[in-house]
């Protein structure tokens, strides 16, 4: 009996496509794939294919909630699969994740908010921590609530679609709660004084290019030290602020150093 060939994971197909057709992709994506390939040769970290597949599999059963696509299952794009695989697949020898901070700069109308919402629900369910806080933050509470609202509507749709999800998830006006672990998703104000003590296990910082300084980001990140594998998602469209204190520009330059190989983080 012939053995069925093993299917190449979506994230690996994306990497292979970038390597085979570099002319189709920007320099940063090529560098990112080069780094992913080089990481496989390292002895201090390893790639957990099963863990990457577990998270991508869960995200793929989430519903869209906007406009004519509402209630249709999400079709995970190749670049998203590659992103999710890198976040959850790479681990240190002690089992904790290698990547705990993510800077994602993408063009408008490319599912920025949806991607953030997907990651937050996935983190709550598939990377559970008792009493975990998942925060959505921005320069204003209103902006933070936009991303939280997307996650809440996804959770509400999943409660309708899946009985097992409905048993553990409760949605309120200003929060989403997973009762099996007491994990709570909520939007927070832009006041850095009130976020450090929350000890978030995950946070989404939206539209980083609008932030004038890193006070809010630093406050949330300091509160994350109580977790061994926190996740800080810093996501934005492109901006023009190149001032010394502008966090998006700092993160962009820092990321370029990592991708060029001059810095390992």
């Amino acid at each position: 009996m012939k053995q069925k060939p093993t299917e190449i994971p979506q994230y690996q197909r994306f990497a292979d496509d970038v390597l085979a057709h570099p002319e189709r992709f920007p320099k940063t994506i090529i560098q990112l794939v080069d780094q992913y390939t080089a990481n496989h040769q390292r002895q201090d970290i390893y790639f957990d294919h099963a863990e990457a597949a577990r998270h991508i599999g869960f995200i793929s059963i989430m519903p869209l909630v906007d406009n004519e696509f509402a209630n249709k299952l999400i079709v995970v794009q190749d670049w998203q699969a590659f992103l999710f695989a890198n976040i959850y697949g790479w681990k240190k020898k002690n089992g904790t994740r290698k990547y705990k901070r993510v800077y994602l700069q993408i063009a408008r109308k490319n599912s920025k908010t949806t991607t953030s919402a997907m990651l937050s629900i996935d983190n709550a369910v598939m990377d559970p921590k008792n009493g975990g806080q998942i925060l959505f933050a921005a320069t204003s509470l209103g902006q933070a609530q936009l991303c939280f609202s997307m996650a809440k509507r996804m959770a509400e749709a999943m409660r309708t679609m899946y009985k097992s999800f409905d048993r553990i998830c409760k949605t309120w006006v200003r929060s989403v709660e997973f009762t099996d672990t007491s994990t709570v998703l909520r939007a927070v104000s832009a006041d850095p004084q009130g976020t450090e003590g929350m000890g978030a296990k995950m946070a989404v910082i939206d539209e980083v290019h609008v932030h004038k300084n890193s006070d809010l980001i630093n406050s949330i990140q300091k509160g994350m030290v109580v977790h061994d594998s926190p996740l800080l998602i810093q996501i934005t469209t492109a901006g023009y602020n190149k001032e010394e204190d502008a966090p998006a520009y700092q993160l962009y330059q820092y990321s370029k150093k990592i991708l060029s190989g001059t810095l390992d983080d």
Side-chain angles (χ1 to χ4, degrees), residues 26-264:
K27 180 180 178 181
T28 51
I29 296 299
I30 296 169
Q31 290 176 318
L32 191 61
V33 170
D34 285 343
Q35 183 185 78
Y36 164 81
T37 304
N39 277 349
H40 284 282
Q41 307 304 316
R42 292 177 54 166
Q43 302 300 311
D44 58 328
I45 57 175
Y46 66 97
F47 190 81
D48 188 336
H49 290 275
E51 185 71 358
R54 194 171 70 91
H55 285 274
I56 294 171
F58 180 66
I59 289 171
S60 68
I61 67 168
M62 294 181 186
L64 293 166
V65 292
D66 277 345
N67 303 326
E68 68 272 21
F69 301 109
N71 297 320
K72 293 182 179 179
L73 292 184
I74 285 170
V75 177
V76 177
Q77 302 299 305
D78 290 350
W79 70 267
Q80 290 174 320
F82 188 72
L83 170 67
F84 304 152
N86 273 277
I87 292 173
Y88 284 107
W90 289 112
K91 294 182 178 181
K92 300 177 182 179
K93 286 187 174 181
N94 63 5
T96 60
R97 291 198 320 274
K98 170 175 171 53
Y99 297 120
K100 300 171 184 178
R101 294 185 296 161
V102 177
Y103 177 65
L104 181 60
Q105 180 176 304
I106 55 179
R108 297 183 185 277
K109 304 302 180 182
N110 274 272
S111 303
K112 174 175 69 70
T113 304
T114 302
T115 300
S116 300
M118 292 155 59
L119 280 166
S120 66
I121 295 176
D122 171 75
N123 188 271
V125 177
M126 304 301 284
D127 192 22
K129 295 290 185 298
N130 289 330
Q133 296 267 348
I134 297 179
L135 306 181
F136 298 87
T139 54
S140 69
L141 180 59
Q143 181 64 37
Q145 286 174 332
L146 289 177
C147 191
F148 165 74
S149 177
M150 174 71 75
K152 177 186 171 184
R153 285 184 288 140
M154 278 189 179
E156 289 172 337
M158 292 180 74
R159 290 183 63 190
T160 301
M161 296 171 67
Y162 308 112
K163 290 182 179 179
S164 59
F165 189 88
D166 184 54
R167 283 195 293 269
I168 64 169
C169 180
K170 303 297 179 186
T171 50
W172 311 100
V173 175
R174 294 184 178 84
S175 64
V176 175
E177 180 183 0
F178 291 87
T179 56
D180 57 333
T181 59
S182 298
T183 296
V184 177
L185 284 66
R186 70 175 85 238
V188 295
S189 73
D191 180 10
Q193 300 299 321
T195 54
E196 183 176 336
M198 291 184 176
K201 82 184 194 78
M202 177 185 172
V204 175
I205 313 293
D206 196 18
E207 293 294 17
V208 180
H209 79 275
V210 180
H211 292 239
K212 294 181 179 180
N213 57 57
S214 299
D215 290 352
L216 179 62
I217 298 172
N218 291 340
S219 174
I220 290 174
Q221 191 169 340
K222 285 179 182 178
M224 290 180 149
V225 298
V226 297
H227 302 285
D228 57 9
S229 288
L231 181 58
L232 179 62
I233 304 293
Q234 299 161 103
I235 190 166
T236 190
T237 50
Y240 302 97
N241 188 355
K242 295 185 179 181
E243 296 295 327
E244 184 177 347
D245 292 337
Y249 187 65
Q250 292 175 354
L251 288 165
Y252 177 71
Q253 294 298 325
Y254 190 80
S255 299
K256 285 176 65 176
K257 290 179 182 179
I258 295 173
L259 292 176
S260 67
T262 59
L263 181 67
D264 180 33

